[in-house]
Amino acid sequence: MSRTNRFDDRASLAVSAWRRRLLLILAASALLLGSASAAAQVLVVVSDGAAGYDAVADELRAGLKAARDGQVHVDSVDAARLSGVADPVFNAYELVVPVGLAAAQAVVTREASNAMSPPTLCLLIPRQSFERLVPPAANDRTRRVSALYIDQPLSRQLGLLRIALPERHRVGVILGPSSQELEGGLRSQAQSHELTLKFARVDASSGVYAALQDVMPDSDLLLLLPDPVATTADTVYGLLLTSYRAQIPVVGYSEGLLNAGALVSLYSTARQQGRQGAEIASSILAHEPLPSPQHPKYFTVRVNASVARSLGLHLPAEAALLSALEGKADKVETKPDRGSKDGATPGGTP
Amino acid sequence: MVRARIAWIACALGCAAGSGAPSLAQELSEREFVAEFPTVLSASGLRQDARETPQAITVIDQAMIKASGAREFAELFRLVPGFTVSYVTYVKGLQPIVSYHGLGREFFSRLQVLIDGRSINNGTLGGVDWSDFPFAIEDIDHIEVIRGPSNATHGIGAFLATINFITKHSLQERGAEASVNVGNDAIRDGSARFGDGFGQFDYRLVAGHRADDGFENVADSRTRNFATARADWQIGPVDNLLLQLGGTDGKNDVSFRGLNDPERTVGLNTAYAQVKWNRSFDADNGWYVQLYYYHFRLTDLFLPLLIPPGGEPALVDGGSTASRADLEFQQNFSTGPNLRWVWGASVREDLTEVPLLSTSIAPLYVERLFGHLEWRVTGSLLANIGAMVENNTLSGTDVAPQLALNYSFTANQTIRFNLSRALRTPTVIENQGKFAVGPPGTPRYGPAGDLLPETILSREISYVAQWPEQHATLDLKLFDDDVNELIDLIGTRNDSAAQAFPKNAVNGDAARERGIEGQFVWRPSADTMLLASAAYLHIASADLLDNYSTSAPRTTVHLLVSHRFADTWDTSINVQQQSGFRAAGYSEPQRAFCRVDARIARQFEFAGGETEIALTAQNLFDNHYTEYRHDDVAERVVWLTVGVRLQR
């Protein structure tokens, strides 16, 4: 009998309550988690102590307040200290939420050797990294680990190019060792978006400039993809500067790139990740089946107005870009980020 | 919300600092999504869209430079409406002269010329040593030409127009590159560059040689060696340091102009150093501090052929030196989405030595304070309001204000009204009053001058239209400029009723310049470019001091077409037509002419690098028009270029 099935069985709730009471004693005696309590149901594992992960965890916590009639308790622990959490304590959680790749690795490693481990929802993890960690076939069999990816679906990224810069069809893409895995997907979707893609591949950061020179003559915009070799703090300055000087706008995937000088960026903020994470977590706590790994449905489109003006480009307003992308979204249901309690508005999320 | 953002950044910085597990180094993780990057596009470095600039602007980019077939820097300005490019063989040998709307003579050009923000106008006579740039034409990223006065935004000397050369960032040229030109007119040019970097530090080294024979039958050969080192260091997320150092060393032949001005060879040396610290918080907020030094030396020691009766031949020193130190601060910031501010200040020292003048020349100090506001009044109305206050030791304190309104009546059509006043500070030689008028060796003296700066009141109405789908832009400028207090040397006109003493230079003339000019740039495909420009200029002047009213061609027309065939062959053709004129000063009338330049180039891969072979012909039909002097006759010049690039 799988753990998921047992949660589906309402009759087992009383058993669960008894177990929780027992675990309270175990946890208190273990003194491993200062905040462990009887109501503990969700364990957030953060990749390290950096404050940024807290923004996700805070949003998750806030979003879970309404779940299970307000009876949800959220504990958190650093990935590095996870091994100190005894199996009985760990297994007593109804949901484990690793935030970031390092936390996901720590939790999944443990999950692989622990048949009783709770369902896991990974947040802030790129799709490629998640699929390497939990190969899709293996995951289908057990369905105990799911994820909310940090990256946007390719169709949404390409859709943004069409909507933001409809006159520009020739897209330069520099692929590093990691982003090369996206080439097939980009190629298969380019045609439906009326885009011609020009790829250049690099194996080391030092090759990025040559690759850029290679794609620029055939590109009227540059799409940046996350890659730990091709798109790094060392290469981004040169990529943005060179393309800007050639009057080629850059489309980015993060707020950092936008601020550095990309024309437009498509990304999900920490709060948006936390918010959707809370929604998925709530459904799991409501004993619904663990959903498939998914791309974010809440996302932000931002335009660097100064860069747009300098390049003489008139882009649709951020809100218009956002709602156009929401209309185009496939598979994932998308909703504007308006009306959330932090007052976020489309395109201007925190 | 702010806290969340700070937290996010803290996470990013933490990640960037390597606090993540080392095993993740090559694995894609959330770090790539949350990393902060240094702001690349600083407020002071952002290029302005032509529809939003307070003055008419022409941008010459790398594609235009290549297609133009220009071999030297000055020639590029043939592409710009209202500009005239001539050559003169004068005291320093062959000199290119670039002027906008005339009034200029062989030296003071009334233009501001900047290289990466350094003013290179010669401190002695105020002109520009166009042959003495310490880098090659390939090192230019783009050139911004501001067609109109812009003291408030481009500083001291931005009088009739401003030319701003922006050289390539160290990051833009990685690897090794070498190029050679060989042609008739004894053209022998070569340049080599190497660019590399480690971490956030990037550098480029450039060295080269330029040589030609100048005009036929005139002793005006030129040779130059040049070198520049540039480094760009991204110190942190917001701090960037630019370091540049370079110089030129060369010789010009000077032809025989008289027994006291014999044929000889003069030496020309320049050196510069620049440090610029740029803090950039985002595209609207930041500041920089810049310090630069520029040194120019003309070495000209010669024996006059005419020996006074009973006298001994005495060596004459016709040389000069000029050095400039300039410290500048500028801050850009925004207050809300509709108000962007710039303010700054600079101090400059110009030291000049001219041995022919028997007394030393006092240093010139110039202090400048400027401010500029860009106010987006409504979505379609943009106001630019600015002013510069300049104080100098020659002409005191003066103010140069500017007001421009850009109204976009459709998304792609803008009309601009610009009213501005600008100043040209007298050069030290003009003000000295002891400048040698007449053959070298026979200086005439007068007391130091009390000159006023020249002033211009410029009224401009411009129309800018863009067709984004066709990649076309049109820019038309209608202007009516009053130039007052024009300074000129007395005694340079044959019929001058003016007295040569007690001063050599006076404020004594005015000119009104009216006309229309425009440019059309069309890139119908990535392989094709068309650039057309034309200007009509009418100058009204009493011509009390000089022949100002004929000092610029009444009409100029320029057409440049380039096309790339089969992705390997680059071809371009360049036609220029110009009506007759007579530049101010010692010039002779220049007849109207039409000349055609053409270039064909082929690119291919060779030995792992990119190779380009190009053949360029200037004045293809060998039209023998004259330049500043009747013996300076243009001829056909043809050269072959071979360039190889190995990228890292």
Side-chain angles (χ1 to χ4, degrees):
Chain A
M1 188 166 66
S2 80
R3 188 173 181 86
T4 311
N5 288 342
R6 196 172 55 176
F7 276 136
D8 284 340
D9 182 3
R10 292 192 166 256
S12 67
L13 273 176
V15 181
S16 292
W18 176 85
R19 275 175 54 102
R20 278 201 300 277
R21 238 172 275 128
L22 174 66
L23 283 167
L24 167 66
I25 300 156
L26 284 169
S29 58
L31 284 176
L32 286 165
L33 295 169
S35 60
S37 73
Q41 287 162 314
V42 176
L43 177 66
V44 174
V45 185
V46 293
S47 288
D48 58 35
Y53 296 108
D54 290 346
V56 182
D58 288 350
E59 193 68 21
L60 184 73
R61 202 172 272 120
L64 286 173
K65 267 185 187 148
R68 194 74 69 76
D69 300 325
Q71 295 299 305
V72 179
H73 190 92
V74 181
D75 293 327
S76 63
V77 63
D78 282 0
R81 294 174 59 195
L82 186 66
S83 56
V85 181
D87 268 349
V89 178
F90 183 76
N91 293 346
Y93 286 101
E94 287 183 41
L95 178 65
V96 178
V97 183
V99 181
L101 178 60
Q105 285 173 332
V107 172
V108 171
T109 305
R110 184 168 184 150
E111 183 256 357
S113 59
N114 174 5
M116 298 295 283
S117 73
T120 300
L121 173 66
C122 300
L123 299 184
L124 286 194
I125 190 167
R127 182 175 64 85
Q128 290 162 260
S129 311
F130 178 76
E131 288 180 353
R132 218 184 318 277
L133 193 61
V134 185
N139 195 31
D140 282 346
R141 211 164 45 242
T142 58
R143 292 196 65 80
R144 284 197 308 181
V145 184
S146 188
L148 169 60
Y149 303 137
I150 190 169
D151 44 343
Q152 309 296 317
L154 291 178
S155 59
R156 190 181 291 159
Q157 290 183 58
L158 297 181
L160 173 65
L161 308 188
R162 300 302 303 125
I163 299 161
L165 297 159
E167 284 130 30
R168 298 188 183 229
H169 300 264
R170 303 181 310 142
V171 185
V173 186
I174 295 172
L175 299 169
S178 169
S179 53
Q180 280 178 22
E181 295 170 23
L182 304 175
E183 183 179 343
L186 286 166
R187 278 192 194 281
S188 65
Q189 299 207 23
Q191 202 169 8
S192 62
H193 287 88
E194 297 169 359
L195 295 169
T196 310
L197 302 182
K198 167 81 180 180
F199 292 100
R201 287 161 205 85
V202 296
D203 297 322
S205 296
S206 56
V208 164
Y209 304 106
L212 186 62
Q213 298 298 336
D214 196 29
V215 301
M216 276 206 306
D218 302 309
S219 307
D220 47 23
L221 64 85
L222 184 70
L223 174 65
L224 292 186
L225 296 172
D227 186 279
V229 168
T231 322
T232 68
D234 284 348
T235 63
V236 159
Y237 194 90
L239 286 169
L240 288 173
L241 183 97
T242 310
S243 52
Y244 172 76
R245 287 195 164 186
Q247 305 273 286
I248 296 174
V250 174
V251 178
Y253 54 82
S254 74
E255 190 179 11
L257 286 170
L258 183 93
N259 293 336
L263 171 72
V264 55
S265 245
L266 171 66
Y267 57 92
S268 294
T269 63
R271 279 177 179 271
Q272 288 174 323
Q273 287 272 315
R275 183 174 159 205
Q276 192 177 346
E279 290 175 6
I280 300 170
S282 298
S283 75
I284 296 168
L285 294 180
H287 311 302
E288 287 179 24
L290 191 67
S292 301
Q294 56 194 280
H295 285 285
K297 65 177 180 179
Y298 302 123
F299 55 90
T300 299
V301 181
R302 278 190 56 206
V303 174
N304 190 324
S306 302
V307 173
R309 283 173 60 181
S310 175
L311 292 173
L313 297 170
H314 287 287
L315 270 70
E318 289 170 346
L321 290 172
L322 187 70
S323 55
L325 283 179
E326 285 162 354
K328 274 182 182 266
D330 52 355
K331 289 184 186 171
V332 285
E333 181 208 349
T334 61
K335 281 180 201 159
D337 200 16
R338 60 180 73 93
S340 66
K341 57 197 153 305
D342 54 42
T345 53
T349 43
Chain B
M1 192 165 139
V2 171
R3 216 178 40 215
R5 187 178 139 73
I6 291 168
W8 202 230
I9 291 168
C11 164
L13 293 174
C15 295
S19 56
S23 62
L24 301 180
Q26 294 294 304
E27 167 99 54
L28 182 68
S29 76
E30 71 280 7
R31 289 173 302 169
E32 276 68 43
F33 293 83
V34 300
E36 291 287 312
F37 300 102
T39 300
V40 175
L41 308 174
S42 65
S44 56
L46 271 181
R47 221 191 281 189
Q48 270 188 296
D49 179 23
R51 286 166 297 184
E52 305 205 330
T53 53
Q55 306 91 6
I57 187 166
T58 296
V59 175
I60 303 173
D61 62 22
Q62 290 171 47
M64 293 177 189
I65 291 171
K66 216 160 199 186
S68 75
R71 192 183 135 243
E72 59 179 302
F73 300 96
E75 290 171 333
L76 294 168
F77 302 98
R78 294 187 201 276
L79 302 172
V80 185
F83 273 76
T84 311
V85 179
S86 302
Y87 287 85
V88 62
T89 49
Y90 194 55
V91 285
K92 297 185 228 169
L94 185 65
Q95 297 283 318
I97 310 281
V98 177
S99 62
Y100 178 69
H101 291 178
L103 306 184
R105 46 185 300 152
E106 55 269 52
F107 17 82
F108 27 88
S109 57
R110 298 182 173 88
L111 300 180
Q112 163 80 298
V113 180
L114 303 165
I115 299 175
D116 294 323
R118 316 187 299 275
S119 169
I120 54 151
N121 293 59
N122 192 301
T124 52
L125 295 170
V128 173
D129 304 300
W130 289 102
S131 306
D132 294 283
F133 286 13
F135 51 88
I137 211 161
E138 293 86 1
D139 295 304
I140 301 172
D141 181 75
H142 66 281
I143 307 167
E144 292 172 342
V145 184
I146 293 93
R147 294 163 16 232
S150 60
N151 275 167
T153 44
H154 293 89
I156 302 160
F159 190 68
L160 291 176
T162 298
I163 294 169
N164 194 7
F165 286 87
I166 290 121
T167 63
K168 288 179 183 165
H169 192 282
S170 306
L171 279 168
Q172 282 176 278
E173 281 183 300
R174 285 287 186 103
E177 193 182 311
S179 169
V180 176
N181 292 334
V182 179
N184 72 335
D185 190 31
I187 289 174
R188 302 286 184 272
D189 302 338
S191 70
R193 60 186 53 75
F194 177 76
D196 203 355
F198 37 90
Q200 308 291 332
F201 185 90
D202 298 279
Y203 66 91
R204 177 170 72 243
L205 307 170
V206 180
H209 175 80
R210 286 187 283 266
D212 62 48
D213 253 359
F215 291 106
E216 209 171 353
N217 306 320
V218 179
D220 61 347
S221 300
R222 295 182 288 181
T223 60
R224 290 290 184 285
N225 300 312
F226 59 88
T228 276
R230 172 181 176 137
D232 290 276
W233 183 19
Q234 187 67 39
I235 302 167
V238 296
D239 292 296
N240 179 291
L241 201 62
L242 164 68
L243 303 160
Q244 290 202 94
L245 189 72
T248 62
D249 169 58
K251 286 189 298 228
N252 277 8
D253 283 354
V254 179
S255 59
F256 178 84
R257 297 274 175 220
L259 291 173
N260 272 334
D261 199 355
E263 184 175 319
R264 59 192 185 271
T265 300
V266 301
L268 294 116
N269 299 82
T270 67
Y272 82 98
Q274 178 181 23
V275 182
K276 184 174 180 179
W277 174 27
N278 202 337
R279 295 211 94 189
S280 188
F281 305 107
D282 59 45
D284 288 332
N285 296 281
W287 53 258
Y288 72 77
V289 186
Q290 169 180 279
L291 178 67
Y292 70 82
Y293 175 78
Y294 179 64
H295 183 80
F296 168 88
R297 190 175 81 223
L298 169 68
T299 311
D300 183 15
L301 278 171
F302 65 95
L303 274 175
L305 301 176
L306 191 69
I307 301 163
E312 289 291 307
L315 210 57
V316 174
D317 186 354
S320 64
T321 62
S323 62
R324 166 171 296 161
D326 187 292
L327 177 67
E328 182 175 326
F329 169 83
Q330 180 178 309
Q331 185 189 9
N332 292 59
F333 62 97
S334 59
T335 51
N338 300 322
L339 291 171
R340 296 200 294 177
W341 305 77
V342 187
W343 79 276
S346 67
V347 287
R348 176 184 294 181
E349 180 193 61
D350 276 326
L351 299 175
T352 311
E353 270 179 58
V354 183
L356 262 188
L357 307 178
S358 54
T359 57
S360 64
I361 300 170
L364 167 65
Y365 293 99
V366 190
E367 292 136 21
R368 169 177 75 121
L369 184 67
F370 65 94
H372 182 254
L373 164 66
E374 186 194 86
W375 174 26
R376 195 165 292 280
V377 186
T378 69
S380 55
L381 183 64
L382 183 75
N384 276 283
I385 305 154
M388 175 190 81
V389 183
E390 178 185 312
N391 177 52
N392 67 67
T393 48
L394 292 183
S395 60
T397 305
D398 219 320
V399 181
Q402 177 178 52
L403 172 68
L405 294 173
N406 296 37
Y407 177 66
S408 301
F409 49 97
T410 72
N412 294 313
Q413 293 184 85
T414 301
I415 192 159
R416 168 177 52 230
F417 303 90
N418 175 26
L419 187 65
S420 55
R421 183 177 188 267
L423 316 168
R424 182 181 79 85
T425 306
T427 67
V428 284
I429 292 292
E430 286 172 313
N431 206 58
Q432 191 66 19
K434 293 179 179 175
F435 180 65
V437 176
T442 58
R444 296 185 235 162
Y445 301 103
D450 51 358
L451 294 175
L452 300 169
E454 293 182 346
T455 63
I456 182 170
L457 179 68
S458 173
R459 292 161 292 246
E460 171 196 334
I461 300 174
S462 286
Y463 170 72
V464 185
Q466 297 190 335
W467 294 269
E469 279 115 49
Q470 278 75 40
H471 301 278
T473 55
L474 172 72
D475 174 339
L476 291 174
K477 172 185 167 180
L478 201 63
F479 56 92
D480 183 353
D481 298 345
D482 280 318
V483 190
N484 286 302
E485 311 296 348
L486 277 166
I487 299 169
D488 211 331
L489 303 181
I490 295 174
T492 58
R493 270 165 56 103
N494 298 333
D495 61 343
S496 174
Q499 287 184 309
F501 297 99
K503 293 172 189 168
N504 300 119
V506 293
N507 295 104
D509 218 332
R512 184 173 182 190
E513 303 195 309
R514 282 172 293 175
I516 183 166
E517 63 192 34
Q519 61 187 14
F520 177 68
V521 184
W522 183 31
R523 297 174 204 258
S525 76
D527 295 328
T528 309
M529 174 174 70
L530 181 145
L531 192 153
S533 70
Y536 172 85
L537 169 67
H538 180 265
I539 306 176
S541 171
D543 290 345
L544 296 174
L545 292 180
D546 216 328
N547 40 289
Y548 293 121
S549 57
T550 57
S551 63
R554 182 67 57 94
T555 57
T556 50
V557 179
H558 188 272
L559 185 70
L560 171 64
V561 183
S562 75
H563 185 69
R564 166 174 273 215
F565 293 95
D567 220 24
T568 44
W569 288 92
D570 283 321
T571 56
S572 57
I573 193 151
N574 197 351
V575 183
Q576 192 192 7
Q577 184 157 31
Q578 179 174 300
S579 63
F581 75 107
R582 183 185 173 181
Y586 281 110
S587 75
E588 290 156 20
Q590 291 188 44
R591 282 186 293 124
F593 70 85
C594 176
R595 71 173 237 184
V596 179
D597 300 349
R599 178 179 185 271
I600 181 160
R602 174 149 167 56
Q603 291 162 353
F604 51 91
E605 292 211 358
F606 175 72
E610 265 177 56
T611 304
E612 185 182 71
I613 295 182
L615 186 70
T616 310
Q618 287 188 339
N619 197 358
L620 190 62
F621 301 108
D622 209 16
N623 182 353
H624 287 215
Y625 63 89
T626 57
E627 297 275 2
Y628 245 65
R629 297 177 188 282
H630 71 273
D631 48 358
D632 297 344
V633 182
E635 57 178 311
R636 177 169 46 220
V637 181
V638 182
W639 71 90
L640 186 75
T641 306
V642 180
V644 183
R645 186 167 71 174
L646 300 165
Q647 223 152 27
R648 284 170 67 85

